[in-house]
Coordinates of all heavy atoms in Angstrom, one line a residue:
G3 N 80.1 90.2 93.6 CA 79.8 89.4 94.7 C 79.3 90.2 95.9 O 79.3 91.4 95.8
V4 N 78.7 89.6 96.9 CA 78.2 90.3 98.0 C 79.4 91.1 98.6 O 80.5 90.7 98.7 CB 77.7 89.3 99.1 CG1 77.2 90.1 100.3 CG2 76.5 88.6 98.5
G5 N 79.1 92.4 98.9 CA 80.1 93.3 99.4 C 81.0 92.8 100.5 O 80.5 92.3 101.5
G6 N 82.4 92.9 100.3 CA 83.3 92.3 101.3 C 83.8 90.9 101.0 O 84.5 90.3 101.8
S7 N 83.4 90.4 99.8 CA 83.8 89.0 99.5 C 85.2 88.8 99.1 O 85.6 87.7 98.9 CB 82.8 88.5 98.4 OG 81.5 88.5 98.8
G8 N 85.9 89.9 98.9 CA 87.3 89.8 98.4 C 87.4 90.1 96.9 O 88.3 89.7 96.2
T9 N 86.5 90.9 96.4 CA 86.5 91.3 95.0 C 87.7 92.1 94.6 O 88.1 92.1 93.5 CB 85.2 92.0 94.6 OG1 85.1 93.2 95.4 CG2 84.0 91.2 94.9
R10 N 88.3 92.8 95.6 CA 89.4 93.7 95.3 C 90.6 92.9 94.8 O 91.2 93.4 93.8 CB 89.8 94.5 96.5 CG 90.9 95.5 96.2 CD 91.4 96.3 97.5 NE 90.3 96.8 98.3 CZ 90.4 97.8 99.2 NH1 91.6 98.4 99.3 NH2 89.4 98.2 99.9
V11 N 90.9 91.8 95.4 CA 92.1 91.0 94.9 C 91.8 90.5 93.5 O 92.7 90.4 92.7 CB 92.4 89.9 95.9 CG1 91.3 88.8 95.9 CG2 93.7 89.2 95.6
V12 N 90.5 90.2 93.2 CA 90.2 89.7 91.8 C 90.4 90.8 90.8 O 90.9 90.5 89.7 CB 88.8 89.1 91.8 CG1 88.4 88.7 90.4 CG2 88.7 87.9 92.7
Q13 N 90.0 92.0 91.2 CA 90.3 93.2 90.3 C 91.8 93.3 90.0 O 92.2 93.5 88.9 CB 89.7 94.4 91.0 CG 89.6 95.6 90.0 CD 90.9 96.5 89.9 OE1 91.8 96.3 90.8 NE2 90.9 97.4 89.0
N14 N 92.6 93.2 91.0 CA 94.0 93.3 90.8 C 94.6 92.1 89.9 O 95.4 92.4 89.1 CB 94.8 93.2 92.2 CG 94.5 94.4 93.0 OD1 94.2 95.5 92.5 ND2 94.6 94.3 94.4
I15 N 94.0 91.0 90.1 CA 94.4 89.8 89.3 C 94.1 90.0 87.8 O 94.9 89.8 86.9 CB 93.8 88.5 89.8 CG1 94.5 88.1 91.2 CG2 94.0 87.4 88.8 CD1 93.7 87.0 91.9
L16 N 92.9 90.5 87.6 CA 92.4 90.7 86.2 C 93.3 91.8 85.6 O 93.7 91.7 84.4 CB 90.9 91.1 86.2 CG 90.0 89.9 86.6 CD1 88.6 90.5 86.6 CD2 90.1 88.8 85.6
A17 N 93.5 92.9 86.3 CA 94.3 94.0 85.7 C 95.8 93.4 85.4 O 96.3 93.8 84.4 CB 94.4 95.1 86.7
R18 N 96.3 92.6 86.3 CA 97.7 92.1 86.0 C 97.7 91.2 84.8 O 98.7 91.0 84.1 CB 98.2 91.3 87.3 CG 99.6 90.9 87.2 CD 100.5 92.1 87.2 NE 100.4 92.8 88.5 CZ 101.2 92.6 89.6 NH1 102.1 91.6 89.6 NH2 101.0 93.4 90.7
L19 N 96.5 90.5 84.5 CA 96.4 89.7 83.3 C 96.2 90.5 82.0 O 96.1 89.9 80.9 CB 95.3 88.7 83.5 CG 95.5 87.5 84.5 CD1 94.2 86.8 84.8 CD2 96.6 86.5 83.9
G20 N 96.1 91.8 82.2 CA 96.0 92.6 81.0 C 94.5 93.0 80.6 O 94.3 93.5 79.5
V21 N 93.6 92.8 81.6 CA 92.3 93.3 81.3 C 92.1 94.8 81.7 O 92.5 95.1 82.8 CB 91.2 92.4 82.2 CG1 89.8 92.9 81.9 CG2 91.4 91.0 81.9
S22 N 91.6 95.5 80.8 CA 91.4 97.0 81.1 C 90.2 97.1 82.0 O 89.1 96.8 81.5 CB 91.2 97.7 79.8 OG 90.8 99.1 80.1
M23 N 90.4 97.5 83.3 CA 89.3 97.4 84.3 C 88.7 98.8 84.5 O 87.9 99.0 85.4 CB 89.8 96.9 85.6 CG 90.4 95.5 85.5 SD 89.1 94.3 85.1 CE 88.2 94.2 86.6
G24 N 89.0 99.8 83.6 CA 88.5 101.1 83.7 C 89.4 102.1 84.3 O 90.4 101.7 84.9
T25 N 89.1 103.3 84.1 CA 90.0 104.4 84.6 C 89.4 105.2 85.7 O 90.2 105.9 86.4 CB 90.4 105.3 83.4 OG1 89.2 105.9 82.9 CG2 91.2 104.6 82.3
D26 N 88.2 105.1 86.0 CA 87.5 105.8 87.0 C 87.1 104.8 88.2 O 86.0 104.3 88.2 CB 86.3 106.5 86.5 CG 85.8 107.6 87.4 OD1 86.2 107.7 88.6 OD2 84.9 108.4 87.0
L27 N 88.1 104.6 89.0 CA 87.9 103.6 90.1 C 88.0 104.2 91.5 O 88.7 105.2 91.7 CB 89.0 102.5 90.0 CG 89.3 101.9 88.6 CD1 90.4 100.9 88.6 CD2 88.0 101.3 88.0
N28 N 87.3 103.6 92.5 CA 87.6 104.0 93.8 C 88.7 103.3 94.5 O 89.4 102.5 93.8 CB 86.3 103.9 94.7 CG 85.8 102.5 94.8 OD1 86.5 101.5 94.5 ND2 84.6 102.3 95.3
E29 N 88.9 103.5 95.7 CA 90.1 102.8 96.4 C 90.0 101.3 96.4 O 91.0 100.6 96.3 CB 90.2 103.3 97.9 CG 91.4 102.9 98.6 CD 91.4 103.4 100.0 OE1 90.6 104.2 100.4 OE2 92.3 102.9 100.8

């Protein structure tokens, strides 16, 4: 999404659902 859209919370949701989101991530 356009930067600042709230993508971080979606990343957390997907990870909690068991999706492997990668190991080399920024903050």
Side-chain angles (χ1 to χ4, degrees):
V4 176
S7 296
T9 58
R10 184 184 311 203
V11 69
V12 175
Q13 194 272 347
N14 291 335
I15 289 167
L16 291 175
R18 190 68 63 91
L19 284 169
V21 181
S22 175
M23 300 296 285
T25 56
D26 195 349
L27 312 177
N28 65 10
E29 187 178 350

